Amino acid sequence: MSRPCNGPRTRLDALFTDPEHALRERVLWRLLYDTAARAEEILTLNVEDLDLEFRRARVVSEGGAIEYVHWATPTARLLPRLLGGRTTGPVFLADRRAPASGRRAPAADDIDPVTKRGRLSYPRAEYLFKTASATLDPHRQGWTLHQLRHSALQHLAQAGRTAPELQAKSRHQHLASLGHYVRLGEEISARITAEADPARHRRIR
C-alpha cells in the first residue's frame, strides 16, 4: 500500500497554492485531494463530465460503474480558470499538440478539438508531482499521485470521519479496506467509550 503524503494538511496546502507550479498541476493536485479519487479517474475526465454548479464530476470506477466525486471551494475557484471557456475535450491537456497520425496518435476523444492538444498522460503528471513534492518529502523522493488519495482519507479519518463515511467518499468496495485509516489510537477508543457510558447520560439529565 502507498504511504500517504507525510505531514499535516498545511504541507499539502503550501504545495497546492505555490504559484511556482503551473495552474494545470495545482488544479489536478487539489482535485485529487478533494475528491479522494483515483488518478486514472481524474486524468480521464472530459469537460462534459464536470458539473461545476454542484461541484462534482462523473467518473467511471474500476468496476465500470458510473459514480460521482465531489470537490471543495478551492478547486471550484480554479477549475473555470483552467478550462478557459472550453466545453468539450479532456480537462487536463498536454503541453503540446497531439500527433495527427502514426502509432503515437491518440484517440479522437483524447484530443481537444480547438487546440489539438492531447490528454495529459499519467506518467507525465506523476513525474511533475514527484518533482514538485520532493522538497517537502522527508525522504526527498517526492510523492505519487496515488498518495494524495491516501492523504485525503487519512486526514478525514483524523478529523473523526467514520469508516462508512470514508467508504462513501473513496468508493472502496469493501469496508475492510479502510480499517487502517480509522485506527487512530487509544484516545479515540477512550472518547467513544466515555460518550457511550450510560452513567454519563444520567449525569447530563
Side-chain angles (χ1 to χ4, degrees), residues 16-127:
F16 298 159
T17 57
D18 189 343
E20 291 295 318
H21 306 306
L23 175 64
R24 180 189 65 187
E25 274 62 67
R26 288 186 283 126
V27 174
L28 174 61
W29 303 340
R30 274 197 179 278
L31 192 55
L32 287 170
Y33 181 81
D34 275 1
T35 60
R38 299 172 182 87
E40 297 93 337
E41 295 172 334
I42 298 302
L43 286 169
T44 55
L45 282 175
N46 290 327
V47 180
E48 304 95 305
D49 298 319
L50 304 179
D51 184 342
L52 298 180
E53 180 181 1
F54 292 99
R55 300 182 179 183
R56 65 179 187 172
R58 182 178 62 241
V59 300
V60 180
S61 70
E62 285 185 333
I66 302 298
E67 299 176 323
Y68 284 88
V69 296
H70 301 81
W71 57 81
T73 298
T75 298
R77 289 172 176 167
L78 290 176
L79 258 177
R81 290 177 52 195
L82 177 70
L83 299 178
R86 292 189 293 119
T87 57
T88 61
V91 173
F92 297 99
L93 297 174
D95 296 319
R96 300 177 181 177
R97 291 169 64 96
S101 60
R103 64 182 181 85
R104 297 182 60 190
D109 289 345
D110 291 327
I111 301 176
D112 174 45
V114 176
T115 66
K116 304 304 180 183
R117 291 157 61 191
R119 187 183 304 277
L120 178 65
S121 70
Y122 193 119
R124 179 60 178 168
E126 181 100 302
Y127 169 79

Side-chain angles (χ1 to χ4, degrees), residues 84-194:
R86 292 189 293 119
T87 57
T88 61
V91 173
F92 297 99
L93 297 174
D95 296 319
R96 300 177 181 177
R97 291 169 64 96
S101 60
R103 64 182 181 85
R104 297 182 60 190
D109 289 345
D110 291 327
I111 301 176
D112 174 45
V114 176
T115 66
K116 304 304 180 183
R117 291 157 61 191
R119 187 183 304 277
L120 178 65
S121 70
Y122 193 119
R124 179 60 178 168
E126 181 100 302
Y127 169 79
L128 292 171
F129 183 59
K130 285 180 72 73
T131 301
S133 60
T135 57
L136 298 177
D137 180 7
H139 301 282
R140 294 294 185 265
Q141 297 177 353
W143 300 316
T144 67
L145 293 174
H146 192 63
Q147 285 171 272
L148 283 172
R149 173 173 164 87
H150 289 294
S151 292
L153 296 174
Q154 182 188 62
H155 294 160
L156 288 171
Q158 290 171 344
R161 296 299 182 183
T162 64
E165 288 175 323
L166 296 181
Q167 184 181 34
K169 180 68 176 176
S170 68
R171 296 166 294 113
H172 276 89
Q173 291 188 356
H174 304 292
L175 196 62
S177 302
L178 297 162
H180 60 281
Y181 292 113
V182 294
R183 293 171 186 162
L184 300 179
E186 180 185 359
E187 68 279 5
I188 301 298
S189 174
R191 177 175 60 79
I192 294 173
T193 303

Side-chain angles (χ1 to χ4, degrees), residues 5-13 33 155 158:
C5 303
N6 291 333
R9 180 173 177 172
T10 52
R11 182 176 293 175
L12 287 176
D13 284 338
Y33 181 81
H155 294 160
Q158 290 171 344

